[in-house]
Structure formats: structure tokens, C-alpha cells
């Protein structure tokens, strides 16, 4: 199998840009034009590479995808200025709050898989936040600045910060980020050693969805997984199947069952019940039962160790 498309040096470029933002935050934005020019140069390189590969950021490996959509997001309108302003505000607040005379904390806003994280560093720390907090109001910024503190009221603090992620302001930023994340079908990712995911998708699509599902990004996993055989990620619109299934030992009906399972998730989306996301709900189980070889496929996976 051919590996996913890549952009060399992209993750390192993101780390260096975080450091440049850190330095700029302490210099009252004197070099913003230079930062903006550096950002534009990186984005032009990303655009050029993606166009050459005929893919989008969502086709890149996860860490590279986050870096690409972050750079492209910061290039939009006044996002870079807003980003730098929040970094400066938090850095100033933390220096005063923790009475730091040197080594100010590194503030990293990023489209990551987590909301916040505090990482210890020699004589200081890094406060990592999701980019969704970009337009957070003063009261939320004050709460974010309290994350590195040792406090018994952390549970309440976490709850208040997480509540902000339900607001339209937070969602507006994440939706803006996600517009860059969608992947497109990339042939090498779908081609396995024994099975081709596009063929499986098309069989299932015509048999159970009247051919109405559009072709998503299809890929085999990079690692051998035995418990999690499939996954659908709606943000890059990607269906990923375990490469454990890419063998003659796995019958076609079993492979197609896993594909069908993920296509049902794609069709139904993720519902929210009592504030929690739910994917294996009543509607899902009802559709899953429509698979013609359901029991035989389940029996195969129960009896065989892949």
C-alpha cells in the first residue's frame, strides 16, 4: 500500500511559528508584518503541494492535517491578529498571576484533539488550548489562565470552560477550521494488497443506499488493529478500515459488513442525547440489521482471530 500524501517539514514549521508567536507576544506585536509574510509563504507552499497531489489537508496524516488547517485558518481575515492578541493576553495574565520574573509560559492555540493541556517545562510550562477559544470573552480567558494553578476547584473550572465549547462563538471558529479539513478520495489510500476499498464501498452503496452516497476519502489503517476494525471521521469525511481485513482470509461479506457499518454512521451522523454524543443508537441498530449477511459476518469475527 502507498502511504498518505505528505508535506515535508510542516509539523516543524508549526512548532517554529508557535515559538515566533510566543516571542512576538512579548514584544507588543512589533513584527506582525514579518509574521504575516512568513505565514503567507508557508500557506503558499501548502497550497502548491496540495494542488500537485490533488488532495486537501484532510488527506494528510493527522499531525500534518492539524498543522495545515491551522496555517490556512490563520491566513484568513484577522485570525492571525486575534490569535496573537489572545496569546498576549493569556501570557500577560499568567506572568502577573504566577509572579513570573522570567521564562514566561508558552501559549499554544491549535486545532488539536483536546480542549486544553498543561505541559511542564524547565522552570515554566506550556499551556496548550484548542483554537476554538480564539474569540473567548474576558471571563473565559480568566478561567483559561487559571488552568495551570493547583486548585481543589478544578472540576468546576473545567466544567465552566467546557460549557463555553457549546456556544456559537466557539462553534464558529471550529467550523471555520473544519472547512479546510475535508479530505477527497485518494486512490493510493484505498488500494490494499488484497482488497480495494472503493470496490467494497461501491458494492455496499448500490446494495443498501441506492448509490446515493458520494465517494468519501477511503483509507486502510497504518497500523494493524484487531479490536477496532473500522472508523468514520465526519470532519475529514474519511472511512478507515483496519489493514487486518486486507487478506484472503477475510471473506468479502465480512469486509463489506465493516464498510456498511461505517457507511451507516456516515448516513445517520452523530446524535446528541442528554448532552452526550450517541452513534450506536436505536436508528443505527435498525439499519445495521438490514445487512444481508449480518449474522454470518458477526459469527466470522467472533470465531476468528485476525
Amino acid at each position: 500500500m502507498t502511504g498518505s500524501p505528505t508535506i515535508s517539514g510542516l509539523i516543524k514549521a508549526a512548532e517554529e511559528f508557535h515559538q515566533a508567536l510566543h516571542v512576538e507576544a512579548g514584544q507588543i506585536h512589533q513584527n506582525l508584518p514579518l509574521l504575516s509574510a512568513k505565514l503567507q509563504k508557508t500557506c503558499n507552499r501548502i497550497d502548491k503541494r496540495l494542488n500537485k497531489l490533488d488532495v486537501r489537508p484532510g488527506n494528510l496524516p493527522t499531525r500534518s492535517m492539524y498543522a495545515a488547517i491551522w496555517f490556512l485558518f490563520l491566513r484568513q481575515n484577522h485570525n492571525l491578529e486575534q490569535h496573537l492578541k489572545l496569546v498576549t493576553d493569556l501570557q500577560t495574565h499568567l506572568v502577573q498571576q504566577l509572579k513570573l520574573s522570567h521564562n514566561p509560559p508558552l501559549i499554544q492555540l491549535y486545532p488539536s484533539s483536546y480542549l486544553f493541556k498543561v505541559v511542564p517545562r524547565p522552570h515554566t510550562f506550556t499551556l496548550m488550548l484548542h483554537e476554538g477559544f480564539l474569540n473567548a470573552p474576558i471571563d473565559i480567558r480568566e478561567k483559561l489562565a487559571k488552568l495551570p494553578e493547583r486548585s481543589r476547584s478544578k472540576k468546576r473550572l473545567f466544567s465552566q470552560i467546557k460549557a463555553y465549547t457549546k456556544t456559537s462563538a466557539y462553534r464558529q471558529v471550529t467550523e471555520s477550521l473544519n472547512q479546510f479539513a475535508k479530505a477527497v478520495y485518494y486512490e493510493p489510500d484505498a488500494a490494499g494488497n488484497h482488497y480495494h476499498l472503493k470496490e467494497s464501498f461501491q458494492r455496499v452503496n448500490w446494495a443498501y443506499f441506492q448509490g446515493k452516497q458520494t465517494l468519501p476519502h477511503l483509507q486502510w489503517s497504518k497500523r494493524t488493529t484487531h479490536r477496532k476494525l473500522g472508523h468514520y471521521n465526519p470532519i475529514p469525511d474519511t472511512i478507515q478500515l483496519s489493514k487486518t481485513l486486507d487478506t484472503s482470509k477475510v471473506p468479502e461479506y465480512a469486509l463489506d459488513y465493516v464498510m456498511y457499518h461505517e457507511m451507516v454512521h456516515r448516513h445517520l451522523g452523530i446524535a446528541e442525547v442528554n448532552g452526550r454524543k450517541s452513534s450506536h443508537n436505536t436508528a443505527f441498530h435498525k439499519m445495521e440489521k438490514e445487512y444481508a449477511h449480518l449474522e454470518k459476518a458477526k459469527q466470522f469475527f467472533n470465531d476468528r482471530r485476525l
Side-chain angles (χ1 to χ4, degrees):
M1 289 180 281
T2 305
S4 296
T6 59
I7 300 179
S8 62
L10 188 56
I11 297 172
K12 183 179 179 180
E15 293 172 351
E16 291 175 348
F17 201 67
H18 274 303
Q19 189 61 41
L21 288 165
H22 171 69
V23 173
E24 182 66 10
Q27 297 180 346
I28 319 176
H29 308 183
Q30 294 178 351
N31 299 313
L32 185 57
L34 290 176
L35 270 179
S36 183
K38 183 177 182 180
L39 172 64
Q40 186 61 51
K41 184 177 180 180
T42 302
C43 288
N44 289 342
R45 184 165 70 90
I46 293 172
D47 289 337
K48 185 176 180 180
R49 179 61 175 162
L50 292 176
N51 288 335
K52 183 177 180 180
L53 293 167
D54 195 23
V55 296
R56 294 189 65 183
N59 290 91
L60 302 173
T62 303
R63 291 182 67 199
S64 294
M65 177 188 75
Y66 283 141
I69 66 177
W70 183 60
F71 279 122
L72 296 174
F73 171 79
L74 290 182
R75 181 172 63 177
Q76 284 192 317
N77 301 321
H78 302 294
N79 288 344
L80 177 60
E81 292 180 30
Q82 287 293 101
H83 180 106
L84 187 56
K85 186 178 186 304
L86 179 55
V87 170
T88 304
D89 288 351
L90 289 173
Q91 190 182 95
T92 301
H93 196 96
L94 284 165
V95 167
Q96 295 174 348
Q97 180 175 289
L98 301 176
K99 298 179 181 180
L100 301 172
S101 58
H102 60 283
N103 290 335
L106 177 62
I107 313 296
Q108 291 187 347
L109 283 109
Y110 206 59
S112 56
S113 57
Y114 48 80
L115 292 179
F116 47 79
K117 185 187 296 185
V118 180
V119 182
R121 292 166 52 214
H123 309 295
T124 184
F125 58 87
T126 297
L127 176 58
M128 307 172 78
L129 302 168
H130 193 282
E131 191 74 37
F133 291 107
L134 181 69
N135 298 317
I138 294 176
D139 64 316
I140 296 299
R141 296 186 183 206
E142 291 175 349
K143 289 178 173 60
L144 292 172
K146 291 180 180 180
L147 286 171
E149 293 181 353
R150 293 182 178 180
S151 171
R152 294 181 178 179
S153 60
K154 275 292 182 68
K155 187 174 182 180
R156 182 184 178 189
L157 179 65
F158 292 168
S159 178
Q160 293 171 331
I161 291 174
K162 288 180 179 179
Y164 175 73
T165 67
K166 304 292 185 182
T167 65
S168 59
Y170 184 91
R171 189 166 55 250
Q172 184 177 3
V173 176
T174 56
E175 288 176 353
S176 184
L177 284 162
N178 291 343
Q179 69 173 312
F180 298 108
K182 186 174 180 179
V184 293
Y185 177 75
Y186 182 66
E187 183 78 17
D189 284 352
N193 295 320
H194 184 76
Y195 284 117
H196 199 297
L197 291 178
K198 184 178 180 181
E199 294 174 358
S200 175
F201 175 86
Q202 290 176 329
R203 284 194 300 269
V204 174
N205 196 19
W206 284 107
Y208 300 97
F209 299 94
Q210 295 80 49
K212 293 181 179 179
Q213 281 212 27
T214 57
L215 187 65
H217 178 218
L218 300 168
Q219 67 175 184
W220 290 103
S221 66
K222 301 298 182 294
R223 299 179 181 178
T224 300
T225 57
H226 297 279
R227 294 183 64 184
K228 193 174 184 65
L229 298 178
H231 175 68
Y232 173 63
N233 190 333
I235 294 175
D237 192 24
T238 296
I239 292 178
Q240 181 183 88
L241 265 58
S242 172
K243 67 178 182 180
T244 311
L245 303 172
D246 186 29
T247 170
S248 59
K249 295 179 181 180
V250 176
E252 188 176 278
Y253 68 80
L255 173 75
D256 287 357
Y257 164 64
V258 181
M259 177 65 73
Y260 176 72
H261 183 103
E262 302 311 326
M263 289 174 70
V264 171
H265 280 311
R266 186 178 186 234
H267 176 73
L268 294 175
I270 298 177
E272 191 167 298
V273 180
N274 297 326
R276 293 186 177 184
K277 292 181 178 179
S278 173
S279 55
H280 291 108
N281 48 33
T282 303
F284 173 85
H285 290 302
K286 183 179 179 180
M287 280 197 69
E288 186 183 43
K289 291 178 181 178
E290 295 177 7
Y291 185 66
H293 307 289
L294 178 63
E295 295 306 321
K296 187 165 63 169
K298 285 187 173 182
Q299 191 65 47
F300 170 79
F301 289 121
N302 286 335
D303 293 345
R304 180 180 292 272
R305 290 186 178 182
L306 297 174

